[in-house]
C-alpha cells in the first residue's frame, strides 16, 4: 500500500512570495489533514477535509493560507504572501475517517522563509 | 478543550537501558491516546494507541504504554533501547466530536541514545 505522498520535500522562498504544497493521500482515505510543525513543537492542525469538504479550518490563517481538496483526493495548501514565521514543516496526513483512526503521515515539506 | 503535556524535552539513555517517556493529558471524557515517533526528515509513524480495554498496550518496535486514568497519564516504555530508537516522540490525544476526529499533540520528547 502506497503511503501519503507530499511534494516538494524542501522549499526556500523569500518573505512576501507565494508557495504551494501538494499532498496525495492513501487511496480510499476520506479524511485529509494539513498540519504545521514549527521547530521544537508538536504538529498543529491547520485544516481538515472530509472527502472534498472542509470540516475544520479554525486554526488556518485565512488571510494568507488557503487549501483545497480536488475531487476528494489530492490536496494543495497555499501560502500567499509568506511571512518569516511560516517557516516550518508542513505535514499531510490521511485516515479512513469513520471513527478515531490512525492517521498516516507523509514525509512533510520543510519550508524556509528568508 | 483537550491538551497534552510531555514534561521532558530531551532524554539521553544508554543503549540497552530501559526507557520511559512521560505523557499527561487533559480531557473531560475517556480519551483516545496515541504515541507517534518521528525520525529526522520523516513524517510521524504510529507506535501504539489506546482506545479502550486493557490499559497496557503493546506497540511496534518493542514499545508499550500504560493508560492510568487516575493520573491522567499514558507513559511510553521500552525495556531495552537500541541506537535506532533515537528520534522525536509525540504523545497525542484523539477526540471524536460531531463526526470529526482530531488529534492534539504534545510538544515532543527528543530521545538521544549513547553507546
Amino acid at each position: 500500500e502506497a503511503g501519503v505522498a507530499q511534494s516538494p520535500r524542501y522549499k526556500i522562498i523569500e518573505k512576501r512570495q507565494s508557495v504551494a504544497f501538494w499532498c496525495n493521500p492513501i487511496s480510499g482515505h476520506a479524511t485529509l489533514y494539513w498540519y504545521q510543525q514549527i521547530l521544537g513543537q508538536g504538529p498543529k492542525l491547520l485544516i481538515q477535509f472530509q472527502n472534498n469538504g472542509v470540516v475544520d479550518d479554525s486554526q488556518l490563517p485565512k488571510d494568507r493560507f488557503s487549501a483545497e481538496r480536488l475531487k476528494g483526493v489530492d490536496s494543495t495548501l497555499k501560502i500567499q504572501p509568506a511571512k518569516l514565521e511560516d517557516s516550518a514543516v508542513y505535514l499531510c496526513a490521511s485516515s479512513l475517517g469513520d471513527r478515531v483512526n490512525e492517521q498516516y503521515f507523509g514525509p512533510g515539506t520543510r519550508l524556509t522563509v528568508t | 478543550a483537550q491538551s497534552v503535556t510531555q514534561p521532558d524535552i530531551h532524554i539521553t539513555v544508554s543503549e540497552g537501558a530501559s526507557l520511559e517517556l512521560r505523557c499527561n493529558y487533559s480531557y473531560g471524557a475517556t480519551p483516545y491516546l496515541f504515541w507517534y515517533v518521528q525520525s529526522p526528515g520523516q513524517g510521524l509513524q504510529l507506535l501504539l494507541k489506546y482506545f479502550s480495554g486493557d490499559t497496557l498496550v503493546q506497540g511496534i518496535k518493542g514499545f508499550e504504554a500504560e493508560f492510568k486514568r487516575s493520573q491522567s497519564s499514558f507513559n511510553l516504555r521500552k525495556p531495552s533501547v537500541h541506537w535506532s530508537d533515537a528520534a522525536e516522540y509525540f504523545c497525542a490525544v484523539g477526540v471524536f466530536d460531531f463526526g470529526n476526529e482530531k488529534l492534539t499533540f504534545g510538544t515532543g520528547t527528543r530521545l538521544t541514545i549513547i553507546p
Side-chain angles (χ1 to χ4, degrees):
Chain A
E1 175 182 81
V4 176
Q6 290 188 247
S7 67
R9 291 295 310 276
Y10 305 92
K11 191 73 176 179
I12 301 174
I13 61 172
E14 296 181 350
K15 59 184 179 184
R16 292 187 289 274
Q17 286 187 324
S18 63
V19 64
F21 312 128
W22 173 82
C23 173
N24 179 241
I26 293 173
S27 177
H29 280 194
T31 307
L32 186 146
Y33 310 81
W34 282 103
Y35 289 88
Q36 181 192 58
Q37 185 179 18
I38 293 173
L39 186 64
Q41 299 181 20
K44 182 187 81 170
L45 180 68
L46 291 175
I47 189 167
Q48 176 183 349
F49 292 93
Q50 181 79 8
N51 296 309
N52 61 351
V54 176
V55 295
D56 185 356
D57 62 357
S58 58
Q59 299 207 75
L60 187 73
K62 299 180 187 63
D63 58 333
R64 298 183 300 105
F65 286 64
S66 65
E68 60 180 1
R69 189 177 184 193
L70 304 173
K71 301 180 181 179
V73 182
D74 292 7
S75 178
T76 56
L77 176 70
K78 297 179 181 178
I79 308 175
Q80 182 178 13
K83 293 185 175 181
L84 296 176
E85 59 261 36
D86 298 331
S87 294
V89 175
Y90 291 84
L91 295 165
C92 179
S94 69
S95 73
L96 287 169
D98 56 346
R99 59 185 188 278
V100 178
N101 270 294
E102 173 181 356
Q103 293 185 20
Y104 294 81
F105 285 81
T109 297
R110 181 176 297 277
L111 174 67
T112 302
V113 182
T114 62
Chain B
Q2 66 275 10
S3 66
V4 178
T5 301
Q6 294 182 249
D8 303 306
I9 296 173
H10 184 204
I11 286 183
T12 300
V13 177
S14 298
E15 190 169 15
S18 63
L19 171 70
E20 182 169 27
L21 302 183
R22 297 184 290 165
C23 172
N24 293 96
Y25 68 89
S26 173
Y27 183 56
T30 300
Y32 301 98
L33 296 163
F34 304 80
W35 275 100
Y36 281 84
V37 61
Q38 185 177 34
S39 298
Q42 303 296 315
L44 280 72
Q45 180 185 22
L46 181 69
L47 286 176
L48 47 78
K49 59 191 176 187
Y50 171 77
F51 285 179
S52 65
D54 193 346
T55 57
L56 183 64
V57 293
Q58 303 296 320
I60 62 172
K61 305 183 181 185
F63 286 92
E64 67 178 24
E66 186 171 12
F67 170 58
K68 293 186 177 180
R69 183 188 304 275
S70 61
Q71 299 177 20
S72 297
S73 69
F74 188 56
N75 293 349
L76 182 71
R77 300 193 294 248
K78 187 170 185 178
S80 177
V81 297
H82 186 262
W83 64 268
S84 60
D85 294 325
E88 189 95 19
Y89 292 79
F90 292 93
C91 181
V93 58
V95 175
F96 195 64
D97 185 28
F98 297 102
N100 302 328
E101 51 177 278
K102 302 179 183 182
L103 287 181
T104 299
F105 287 87
T107 51
T109 297
R110 183 160 61 94
L111 176 63
T112 297
I113 308 295
I114 56 176

